[in-house]
Amino acid sequence: MSNKTLPFFDLKKQYFSIKEEIDSAVQDVIASGNYILGPKVKEFESKFAEYNSTKFAIGVNSGTDALRLALEACDINKGSEVIVPVNTFIATALAVSSIGAKVVFAEFNKETYNIDVQKLESLITKKTKAIIPVHMYGLPSEIDKITDIAKKYNLIVIEDACQAHGAFYKERMVGTWGDVGVYSFYPSKNLGAYGDAGMVVTNDKNISERIISLRNYGQSVKYYHNVRGSNCRLDEIQAAVLNVKLKHLNRWIEKRRKLANLYVNKLKGLNIDLPCEFDGAKHVYYLFVVRVKEREKFQRHLETNNIQTMIHYPVPLHIQEAYSDLHYKKGDFKLAEEYADKILSLPLYPELEEEQICYVCEKIKAYFHEYN
Ligand SMILES: *Cc1c(COP(=O)(O)O)cnc(C)c1O
């Protein structure tokens, strides 16, 4: 096995494990002649709402657009400030920028990678309109504390749950604590389509109706447009795929957790920082992120042993060129900068075999024997 590459993702393997179900669902759509906002989208919206115990779920074409539409539906606009964790995937910030609002970056907790609740209040100004907590790598944020702060200052909470399908905190699903929750079904996510797709969930009827209109040219009745919307619809084929996959999601999450546990048991005691869990929070391990000194050397060692790894993410948002106009500088977010040089994501997906995890752990142990 050592001369065969252990890939970071293996999306084909999952497809082949449910091929018949997927093929028949996709064929049904093609044969139906109903390709846009048809029965499959309706079915998936209702099943995903039920899965999350939320009143409304509105299918859209990506996680990024789900965020953008959620912001628009909550009347966030030019002149608003929106707090976003500095270590998230850039799409969270891009959605804020795309509606002309100002991104205000927030530091994160050094154990959980989630927004640092202690430092949140100091970022709030008169212009602050919303907070977007991100449940990073599949671990819930301390969302109860965040919604408490939001209430105190009358702020909107939009949960970015793009990495955390099926995660919950204190028995309530992430994405349902704030005013709106946002999901991506990008192929590699815990629940992934075979293309781009996303979802907005909410218990607020008004927000739901606005998003239904905004995703479809701003019309509530065909050819009658009350607002300037755009085309951000979830398509029938992707919805058909997601209907099939949703049935398997909990099983896949349990497998991820089992493999994560195996990693933790095999790696504890080594000079490597492992992901944390905390009371009441269910981690769904979209990514298994560790921290090591001399990350490049460590990564090369794994590469030499045909183990693919990735970095999520190598450059914190405050020093990304795209955000240079916000005038943040190096040193503004020391933890983010330090972690960007230390973090590494190890392969973890439900189709991995336990012996493959053991193989990765053996090679990691060998590394520390050799260099420590
Ligand atoms: C993937 C992701 C997004 C964007 O989703 P797309 O469907 O790719 O647009 C947004 N936020 C986070 C945290 C993500 O991981």
Side-chain angles (χ1 to χ4, degrees):
M1 127 168 211
S2 58
N3 48 15
K4 221 176 111 200
T5 299
L6 200 161
F8 188 75
F9 290 119
D10 192 347
L11 302 178
K12 276 195 298 192
K13 200 165 171 189
Q14 184 178 81
Y15 165 62
F16 284 110
S17 76
I18 51 171
K19 182 176 185 303
E20 277 174 32
E21 277 179 285
I22 293 281
D23 289 0
S24 114
V26 170
Q27 290 289 335
D28 281 354
V29 174
I30 299 170
S32 77
N34 207 343
Y35 306 128
I36 300 290
L37 296 183
K40 298 286 187 186
V41 167
K42 269 222 159 56
E43 182 186 344
F44 183 57
E45 287 174 337
S46 110
K47 282 187 177 158
F48 198 70
E50 190 188 340
Y51 180 81
N52 289 287
S53 303
T54 182
K55 281 195 195 139
F56 308 102
I58 307 100
V60 295
N61 64 348
S62 73
T64 308
D65 272 328
L67 280 161
R68 181 172 63 80
L69 297 187
L71 287 158
E72 280 186 43
C74 293
D75 286 322
I76 315 296
N77 50 32
K78 267 198 191 67
S80 305
E81 290 180 3
V82 179
I83 299 173
V84 170
V86 73
N87 60 326
T88 181
F89 178 56
I90 196 167
T92 318
L94 291 178
V96 174
S97 311
S98 75
I99 56 150
K102 183 179 172 194
V103 176
V104 175
F105 290 122
E107 190 62 275
F108 55 94
N109 176 284
K110 65 183 180 25
E111 295 290 334
T112 65
Y113 298 95
N114 284 325
I115 208 162
D116 188 336
V117 178
Q118 253 73 47
K119 293 186 184 153
L120 202 49
E121 283 191 81
S122 68
L123 299 172
I124 297 171
T125 72
K126 284 202 191 83
K127 291 182 176 166
T128 309
K129 288 281 159 54
I131 308 172
I132 310 186
V134 183
H135 306 293
M136 287 297 291
Y137 310 144
L139 179 66
S141 307
E142 294 169 277
I143 189 67
D144 51 347
K145 293 184 188 158
I146 296 169
T147 50
D148 282 350
I149 294 172
K151 269 198 200 92
K152 185 170 157 192
Y153 294 92
N154 200 18
L155 306 178
I156 299 281
V157 174
I158 298 172
E159 288 175 73
D160 183 337
C162 289
Q163 305 192 350
H165 319 70
F168 55 78
Y169 185 48
K170 297 183 175 171
E171 270 144 54
R172 188 160 150 197
M173 299 301 263
V174 301
T176 68
W177 289 73
D179 300 272
V180 194
V182 165
Y183 286 89
S184 162
F185 306 113
Y186 181 78
S188 65
K189 302 278 156 107
N190 280 14
L191 179 60
Y194 293 135
D196 279 308
M199 185 76 87
V200 181
V201 299
T202 183
N203 286 314
D204 185 317
K205 190 160 194 277
N206 178 39
I207 292 177
S208 165
E209 280 172 358
R210 290 183 76 175
I211 290 172
I212 288 170
S213 161
L214 285 169
R215 75 165 172 189
N216 197 25
Y217 318 119
Q219 63 188 16
S220 37
V221 177
K222 203 170 176 70
Y223 303 137
Y224 289 80
H225 307 267
N226 45 326
V227 288
R228 294 179 202 155
S230 51
N231 175 356
C232 310
R233 298 175 301 239
L234 172 62
D235 81 68
E236 281 287 288
I237 290 182
Q238 298 308 336
V241 167
L242 290 163
N243 273 323
V244 170
K245 285 195 169 194
L246 183 59
K247 289 186 277 187
H248 299 280
L249 180 58
N250 284 344
R251 178 169 62 84
W252 286 333
I253 288 172
E254 289 319 309
K255 184 74 187 294
R256 281 177 186 274
R257 287 181 53 80
K258 193 169 172 207
L259 296 177
N261 212 8
L262 188 57
Y263 264 136
V264 170
N265 283 329
K266 300 247 169 209
L267 298 178
K268 66 183 173 207
L270 298 176
N271 202 3
I272 179 169
D273 289 306
L274 301 169
C276 89
E277 292 196 18
F278 59 96
D279 265 0
K282 177 156 180 163
H283 199 323
V284 293
Y285 291 100
Y286 166 58
L287 294 168
F288 191 90
V289 177
V290 300
R291 297 189 304 275
V292 283
K293 276 184 247 157
E294 301 187 88
R295 193 252 327 271
E296 267 62 44
K297 188 164 130 192
F298 181 74
Q299 187 175 31
R300 262 199 314 277
H301 168 83
L302 295 179
E303 184 81 56
T304 312
N305 287 286
N306 301 308
I307 299 162
Q308 283 184 354
T309 57
M310 287 180 77
I311 298 162
H312 300 91
Y313 300 91
V315 184
L317 298 183
H318 69 293
I319 45 177
Q320 288 280 1
E321 195 184 340
Y323 281 107
S324 57
D325 62 326
L326 294 179
H327 302 295
Y328 287 100
K329 55 187 186 309
K330 246 194 157 113
D332 285 346
F333 293 93
K334 291 204 171 63
L335 186 66
E337 291 162 29
E338 179 198 328
Y339 275 25
D341 292 333
K342 285 187 174 168
I343 50 176
L344 190 71
S345 309
L346 303 179
L348 177 66
Y349 39 95
E351 294 71 33
L352 270 179
E353 309 289 341
E354 289 188 17
E355 61 191 46
Q356 292 178 292
I357 302 283
C358 292
Y359 170 77
V360 177
C361 294
E362 253 171 58
K363 295 302 167 191
I364 292 176
K365 276 187 190 147
Y367 171 85
F368 286 108
H369 279 302
E370 196 171 333
Y371 296 109
N372 280 28

